[in-house]
Structure formats: structure tokens, C-alpha cells
Amino acid sequence: MVQLEHLTAPVDAVVARMRALDAALPARDGIAVFNRVYLAVTEEIDRCLDAGEFPDPRAATALDVRFAERYLAAVDAVAADRRPPACWRPLFQLRRHPGVRPLQFALAGINAHIGHDLALAVVDACRTLGCEPADLEDEFDRVGDLLVSLEERIREDLMPGPDVLQIADPLTHLLGSWSLERARDATWAAARALWALRHCGDVAEEFTERLDAAVGFAGRMLLTPLPG
């Protein structure tokens, strides 16, 4: 039990940070909307670790914590008047825009975190554990499965009522332009590419910057202000 508590303590720490953010931010704030979604995912991962449901809890913990730290670092950067990664900038810039709906905030945050942060977190975890990305594939898939399982609930909770969800509603078309499953597949490919390029200096840096910019562009599209 002591060993299990040692493994889950870092996850408990990031959960505490997210709960503090949830308590401090206005409910309608775009970061708060995403934070609630991500908090639910991280709490579920914590529960799975406590229940022994991960085959390799050390690897799962390393990936989950490195993943969360990327998001929390973006939050800290903005709080300190520093620029966050490009993938996060649209959400921070438009977090209080009245024309952006809660579901857009949630999906834009998931886009930034899955599309950019998760790929880098795989590399971070591999360096921490001294392993290859293939050794983390089961943990990667489990985290992705948790997010996919929550996506339907997120859409149900944050989607406007049926009177708004008509075929001509712009939100309907906007949501059809992004897929969590496709984003997860692209992220795994990006993580493997980053690992292969890890000794290539400028090439690895350029790849990372372009990934960041591309994910940020997709996030900006997801946050297109819509009529009420």
C-alpha cells in the first residue's frame, strides 16, 4: 500500500491543482470549462491507479503527470504574464468571449492538450522512465479511451438544446470539423516522430514548433464566435 500511495501521490498533486483552479475561476470562463473536463479525466485515471487497473502503474503515472504538467505550465505562464504555447493561445485569448459557447471551449482545450501536449508528454515520460514510446502505447491508449468515453458526456452536458441544434446551426458544422479519435491517432504518430528526432537538434525543434502552430490554428477555428 505504501508503494501504491507513492505512485499515486504525483497524480493527487495535479488533481489538487485542478480542483483549486475550478474553485477560483468563474464557471463560464473558457479555461474553467476545459479544466472541469480535464479534472474529471484525471480523477478517473487516479481511481484506476488506486484500483490497480493499469498493467504498469509506474508508466501510467509518469505519462499522466507529464501530460497534466504541460497544461498547468500553460496556466502558470499566463498567470505570470508570459506567452503560453501557440496551441493554448486561442483559448486564453477568447476565454471570456460571449460569442463562444462552452462546448467550443471544452473541445478547444482538448484539441490543445491532445494534439500538442500529449505528444510531448510521451517523449517526457520516455525520458523519465528510460523506455521507448512503444512501451507506453497501452497507457497512451488507456488515457485516450478515457477521453473518448467522456466526449459523448461532454457534448451532452454542454450542447445547446434541440431548438438550437438544427442542421443550419453553425455549431453543428463546426463540431463536424474536428474528431478526438483522429486527433489521438495523429498525436501518437507525432510522439513517435519526436522520439525519432530527439537527437536531431534544430529539426526536432522545428517539428515541435510546427506541431504547436498547427494545433493552435485548429483551436482558433474551433473557437470561432457564433451567434447566440
Side-chain angles (χ1 to χ4, degrees):
M1 179 60 71
V2 172
Q3 185 179 9
L4 180 60
E5 288 175 353
H6 174 70
L7 285 171
T8 58
V11 181
D12 293 339
V14 296
V15 166
R17 283 284 319 272
M18 287 183 230
R19 286 175 177 164
L21 283 170
D22 185 53
L25 294 173
R28 183 61 174 75
D29 182 283
I31 299 300
V33 173
F34 167 72
N35 189 78
R36 286 194 294 274
V37 171
Y38 189 33
L39 175 58
V41 173
T42 309
E43 287 175 333
E44 179 63 15
I45 292 172
D46 199 16
R47 186 200 65 76
C48 291
L49 284 167
D50 286 341
E53 295 179 14
F54 282 101
D56 187 344
R58 180 169 175 258
T61 298
L63 180 59
D64 184 49
V65 172
R66 296 294 175 268
F67 188 31
E69 286 173 345
R70 291 274 172 181
Y71 158 61
L72 294 172
V75 172
D76 290 342
V78 173
D81 290 326
R82 291 182 280 108
R83 281 163 66 85
C87 62
W88 284 106
R89 284 175 211 156
L91 183 54
F92 280 100
Q93 290 166 352
L94 296 168
R95 63 193 292 181
R96 298 182 181 90
H97 196 296
V100 180
R101 302 181 192 177
L103 182 57
Q104 292 175 263
F105 288 135
L107 294 184
I110 293 171
N111 170 72
H113 204 37
I114 292 289
H116 173 266
D117 293 354
L118 185 54
L120 273 62
V122 170
V123 175
D124 293 341
C126 284
R127 287 177 172 147
T128 297
L129 298 168
C131 67
E132 300 282 324
D135 299 320
L136 295 179
E137 189 167 6
D138 288 345
E139 287 69 33
F140 177 94
D141 287 341
R142 186 63 185 272
V143 171
D145 288 344
L146 287 172
L147 281 162
V148 170
S149 70
L150 281 173
E151 186 183 20
E152 184 176 348
R153 194 179 86 190
I154 292 165
R155 290 174 183 260
E156 289 176 355
D157 289 348
L158 299 179
M159 192 77 83
D163 55 323
V164 179
L165 272 183
Q166 299 172 358
I167 192 65
D169 189 274
L171 183 60
T172 305
H173 297 280
L174 192 61
L175 296 182
S177 69
W178 187 84
S179 160
L180 178 53
E181 289 277 11
R182 290 196 300 269
R184 185 174 68 166
D185 290 345
T187 294
W188 182 243
R192 293 174 61 202
L194 282 167
W195 184 250
L197 293 170
R198 67 192 183 281
H199 300 307
C200 295
D202 291 346
V203 177
E205 184 177 348
E206 181 178 355
F207 184 93
T208 303
E209 289 176 355
R210 290 183 181 273
L211 175 66
D212 190 18
V215 173
F217 179 77
R220 183 63 186 83
M221 295 301 100
L222 285 169
L223 292 169
T224 300
L226 301 173

